[in-house]
Amino acid sequence: MVNDLVVEATDLHKEFQRDAFQVIALQDVQLTIQRGEFVAFMGPSGSGKSTLLYLIAAIDRPTRGRVEVLGRDILQLKERAVADWRNENIGFIFQTFNLIPVLTARENVELPLLLTHLSRQERAEHAATALGLVGLSDRMDHYPRQLSGGQEQRVAIARAIVSDPSIILADEPTGDLDAQSAQEILTILSRLNRDHGKTILMVTHDPHAARHASKIRYLEKGQLLPEGSPQPE
Amino acid sequence: MFRDTLGLALKNALRNRRRTLLTVASISISLFLLGVLLSVYQAFYHQEGPPEQALRLVTRNRVSLTFSLPEYYEQQIRKVPGVRELVPTSWFGGVYIDNRPENFFPRFATDPERIFEVYKEFTVPPEQLQVFQSERTAAAVGKTLAERLSFKLGQRVTIKGDIYPMDLELTIRAIFESDVENQDFAMYFHRKYLEEGLPQSRRGMVGTFGILADSAEAVPRIAKQIDDLYRNSERQTKTETERAFQLSFVSMLGNVKVFLLSICGALVFTILLVAANTMGMSVRERITEIGVLRTLGFTSGRVLSMIVAEAVLISLAGGLLGCGLAWGASGFLRQSQLMLSGLSFSPPVFLISLSIALAIGILSSLVPALGATRLPITSALRHTG
Ligand SMILES: Nc1ncnc2c1ncn2[C@@H]1O[C@H](COP(=O)(O)OP(=O)(O)OP(=O)(O)O)[C@@H](O)[C@H]1O
Ligand SMILES: [Mg+2]
């Protein structure tokens, strides 16, 4: 296929102005991700991992450089278009699950579909399917507070995949979970990658989690180490 | 789309039930007060008089009501085109029995031949009218007044003079009636009888002229033309519609209009602050969630409308409740006759109150919602608290 490049970042640079001094979060990052890859990003706190995901998801804008995602120059999109684009193409998973507490599991999962033209009925079906995929068919009408952390994160995954995006970005998805729940989440992500062809970019601190990925990339002080670099000390 | 936004807004509104309940309660109490005040305001200033009132004017001394006009003005005013009929009336004042408010009622010296020609909404049985007109010391009383003070036909009534140096010895000969509530709370007697009892020096003066115009359109022109007649005379006139004239009584109580409106304004402002504070609080708690929604593809406009819809739901709930209370209270006050008999929580007042509730919802949430949705998504996501 001609366009199997899912992410192509060139000279990606991000600085934050904090009070008097500048923080360089990302420094001239070159990154390409192929369709179907499962890439883990590792690195110390503050090395720019989250920032990288945010730039790829068009949640934030780089100070300079280019990002093309799915062949699209996302920096050219206006707010409205960016929102639609993200809704369609990106599923985002947070460390802290970030479910809406007043909505049931099903309603949380349906949220991204409210922005589509699907009927009520279709939305309910899609949500049920997504919740089925993460093994929560029997918890659809539970509220987040009635679920365990692992279950909450599974709902969050269902929410991320319900609009069938081709890219899943996960920022430390197992960071707040016990070993067993973490394993469940990693299994689900692996399956989404293997069986459903999702391209996954996952930030993690956990070497065990990183082993589920097909590739590990290291970040250090805002710099992306060359592919194949060993884990820095 | 709209329905989903509303559904989300409703769920968000019920998130913190106690806070929502308190907000609804405080908005409803304020709107209850506002509704009653607006009803009072309306009863004073916007109540429809009888249809005949649109055709009537009152001419009085320009200086103040306590100054009088020469009776010969009548002949000149009658010649003004468009004037169909006019009648002199003078406020007698005086004391009936004693000074207790229960025994107070308005009494006017007037021309018995013409008073019911100008005040056509009063109906008098013809035989009573005839006796009233032919007997020098006869008095006509309104039905409401007659009921309140148990006046009977043939009853003799003594009124001690204070403004005028004479006492009246009257006999009630007619009871007139009006279909407009409380319009007929007054007594009329012969101006001739008053004149005869006065020293020469005080005769020939009139308090006001009540004027009946040919058409409502002619009213403003008549007013101007009459006042122009006396522009250069020693006693200038002020002619206004009867409605405006009645309002000038109300304003003798102080500037009721400004008073009522400023209380209403303060009330609205206070409740706006309370609502804005609550909405600000509930938005601040949800900054991260707003970041999450926007990550999912919700535009800031969408999130904004959700927050505003939530506030509007809360304030409309409070508004409706408050209006219900105001409606009940107005009915109670009207029946108990403690206050204005014309007091009613009317549809316009209802609409105004509800619009104010709507505006409070929008205004109170707009600022925090704008602040939260304008925040970069990354800052919203990093927000703690
Ligand atoms: N909105 C911001 N304003 C100012 N500085 C920021 C902002 N976001 C990130 N930074 C800074 O940029 C650098 C990279 O942050 P980032 O969140 O990408 O790190 P990270 O690798 O995800 O760290 P962690 O593992 O702790 O999540 C840090 O020094 C951080 O303090
Ligand atoms: Mg991070």
Side-chain angles (χ1 to χ4, degrees):
Chain A
M1 247 203 257
V2 196
N3 205 351
D4 259 2
L5 222 51
V6 170
V7 178
E8 184 176 21
T10 324
D11 302 326
L12 206 54
H13 193 85
K14 178 71 181 177
E15 287 172 15
F16 290 102
Q17 187 73 41
R18 204 186 285 158
D19 301 327
F21 55 95
Q22 287 186 328
V23 180
I24 297 176
L26 283 179
Q27 208 175 342
D28 301 316
V29 167
Q30 321 289 335
L31 173 71
T32 53
I33 307 269
Q34 306 288 326
R35 184 175 297 277
E37 277 193 292
F38 184 168
V39 183
F41 290 90
M42 297 189 74
S45 186
S47 56
K49 307 182 296 293
S50 297
T51 303
L52 182 59
L53 289 196
Y54 290 153
L55 292 183
I56 293 170
I59 286 173
D60 206 354
R61 294 179 154 258
T63 310
R64 57 172 187 268
R66 289 171 52 80
V67 221
E68 281 192 18
V69 182
L70 297 163
R72 191 95 189 236
D73 183 353
I74 51 174
L75 298 179
Q76 300 301 321
L77 298 175
K78 299 261 180 309
E79 195 216 311
R80 179 70 211 262
V82 157
D84 288 344
W85 174 84
R86 198 184 309 117
N87 177 256
E88 225 173 285
N89 298 297
I90 304 282
F92 209 102
I93 302 166
F94 304 90
Q95 175 174 355
T96 49
F97 328 136
N98 284 341
L99 299 180
I100 309 296
V102 288
L103 302 180
T104 63
R106 189 213 308 264
E107 290 166 340
N108 263 287
V109 174
E110 271 188 45
L111 273 178
L113 301 181
L114 295 183
L115 306 169
T116 66
H117 295 296
L118 296 179
S119 70
R120 194 163 272 264
Q121 171 78 23
E122 290 169 317
R123 290 199 310 250
E125 284 167 11
H126 280 66
T129 309
L131 280 164
L133 270 171
V134 297
L136 283 178
S137 298
D138 55 339
R139 291 285 191 278
M140 298 213 282
D141 296 316
H142 284 54
Y143 285 91
R145 69 187 132 80
Q146 299 169 319
L147 298 170
S148 73
Q151 289 170 333
E152 279 195 73
Q153 192 61 301
R154 277 147 69 190
V155 174
I157 293 177
R159 182 176 67 184
I161 61 173
V162 73
S163 53
D164 200 24
S166 38
I167 306 175
I168 294 173
L169 304 176
D171 195 351
E172 299 185 45
T174 59
D176 273 11
L177 297 176
D178 60 85
Q180 200 201 322
S181 304
Q183 186 54 54
E184 285 168 9
I185 297 301
L186 291 164
T187 309
I188 291 170
L189 289 178
S190 299
R191 225 177 51 224
L192 287 171
N193 173 243
R194 197 183 56 233
D195 303 345
H196 299 268
K198 305 287 180 206
T199 305
I200 300 180
L201 281 67
M202 175 178 74
V203 167
T204 184
H205 280 292
D206 177 10
H208 171 74
R211 272 198 288 280
H212 286 76
S214 48
K215 192 187 275 178
I216 303 179
R217 300 296 304 266
Y218 296 99
L219 273 151
E220 204 172 49
K221 293 180 184 147
Q223 289 186 307
L224 185 65
L225 304 186
E227 217 173 316
S229 304
Q231 180 165 15
E233 292 312 306
Chain B
M1 198 86 153
F2 176 72
R3 203 168 130 194
D4 300 326
T5 305
L6 217 60
L8 280 173
L10 185 65
K11 284 177 180 136
N12 277 327
L14 296 176
R15 175 183 298 241
N16 189 331
R17 273 159 215 255
R18 190 216 305 244
R19 182 164 64 202
T20 302
L21 214 70
L22 286 175
T23 312
V24 167
S26 51
I27 291 177
S28 68
I29 291 169
S30 310
L31 267 116
F32 155 62
L33 286 174
L34 188 75
V36 172
L37 286 175
L38 284 176
S39 299
V40 170
Y41 180 85
Q42 194 194 26
F44 272 150
Y45 296 102
H46 290 283
Q47 209 178 15
E48 289 287 310
E52 293 81 1
Q53 200 173 47
L55 293 177
R56 275 200 304 262
L57 303 103
V58 176
T59 300
R60 61 167 163 106
N61 190 299
R62 181 157 211 91
V63 180
S64 115
L65 257 179
T66 55
F67 289 76
S68 49
L69 295 169
E71 68 182 345
Y72 66 79
Y73 277 17
E74 183 181 332
Q75 319 312 323
Q76 296 162 333
I77 292 174
R78 191 179 290 284
K79 288 191 196 117
V80 172
V83 172
R84 180 184 299 176
E85 187 54 274
L86 78 163
V87 66
T89 52
S90 300
W91 174 269
F92 180 77
V95 178
Y96 171 65
I97 301 181
D98 55 29
N99 268 320
R100 282 184 305 160
E102 302 89 286
N103 288 325
F104 169 80
F105 55 90
R107 32 224 167 218
F108 300 97
T110 189
D111 180 340
E113 302 293 330
R114 282 177 287 149
I115 182 73
F116 294 113
E117 292 301 314
V118 172
Y119 293 88
K120 283 192 185 301
E121 68 267 31
F122 293 144
T123 50
V124 208
E127 65 283 0
Q128 291 182 17
L129 180 62
Q130 217 186 340
V131 184
F132 168 59
Q133 289 174 338
S134 57
E135 197 177 308
R136 199 175 54 95
T137 59
V141 294
K143 186 157 175 273
T144 309
L145 170 60
E147 280 168 2
R148 195 81 58 85
L149 290 179
S150 352
F151 284 147
K152 300 276 173 318
L153 286 176
Q155 184 176 338
R156 294 185 61 96
V157 174
T158 305
I159 294 169
K160 282 196 279 298
D162 45 19
I163 302 174
Y164 294 95
M166 68 175 288
D167 295 348
L168 300 174
E169 296 285 348
L170 299 167
T171 312
I172 293 172
R173 292 301 185 197
I175 293 179
F176 60 90
E177 221 176 306
S178 162
D179 30 321
V180 179
E181 242 180 315
N182 272 16
Q183 280 280 307
D184 52 357
F185 191 75
M187 170 189 270
Y188 293 104
F189 61 93
H190 292 217
R191 214 177 85 76
K192 281 209 186 82
Y193 174 43
L194 174 66
E195 288 284 296
E196 286 164 12
L198 291 178
Q200 200 63 43
S201 61
R202 290 197 58 177
R203 289 187 193 173
M205 299 308 283
V206 167
T208 60
F209 292 103
I211 299 166
L212 183 67
D214 274 334
S215 69
E217 293 72 47
V219 164
R221 181 186 48 76
I222 293 174
K224 186 172 179 313
Q225 234 169 317
I226 293 174
D227 291 346
D228 284 348
L229 273 178
Y230 304 106
R231 180 85 50 217
N232 298 314
S233 66
E234 193 186 332
R235 289 179 185 254
Q236 297 185 359
T237 59
K238 176 165 180 178
T239 305
E240 52 198 345
T241 62
E242 188 177 288
R243 184 81 200 124
F245 175 73
Q246 286 175 352
L247 286 181
S248 66
F249 272 105
V250 174
S251 67
M252 278 161 73
L253 301 170
N255 205 333
V256 183
K257 198 168 190 164
V258 170
F259 177 70
L260 280 177
L261 287 181
S262 47
I263 294 186
C264 289
L267 209 56
V268 171
F269 186 66
T270 312
I271 191 60
L272 186 62
L273 291 185
V274 171
N277 185 40
T278 314
M279 278 318 290
M281 206 147 61
S282 91
V283 168
R284 267 195 304 284
E285 282 167 8
R286 259 185 270 162
I287 298 278
T288 312
E289 272 175 46
I290 290 169
V292 172
L293 287 175
R294 293 181 60 200
T295 304
L296 295 179
F298 284 73
T299 55
S300 34
R302 198 74 212 257
V303 177
L304 185 94
S305 55
M306 239 166 71
I307 298 172
V308 172
E310 176 185 342
V312 165
L313 277 179
I314 292 178
S315 55
L316 280 186
L320 280 173
L321 204 67
C323 286
L325 291 172
W327 177 74
S330 309
F332 174 76
L333 287 174
R334 184 177 54 241
Q335 278 186 353
S336 65
Q337 304 240 323
L338 285 172
M339 279 174 68
L340 291 158
S341 58
L343 193 70
S344 83
F345 189 71
S346 62
V349 172
F350 173 67
L351 283 181
I352 290 173
S353 304
L354 222 54
S355 314
I356 287 175
L358 183 74
I360 286 173
I362 294 172
L363 290 177
S364 67
S365 55
L366 210 55
V367 172
L370 275 174
T373 52
R374 275 186 186 163
L375 215 59
I377 304 182
T378 48
S379 312
L381 288 173
R382 288 160 68 98
H383 189 89
T384 44

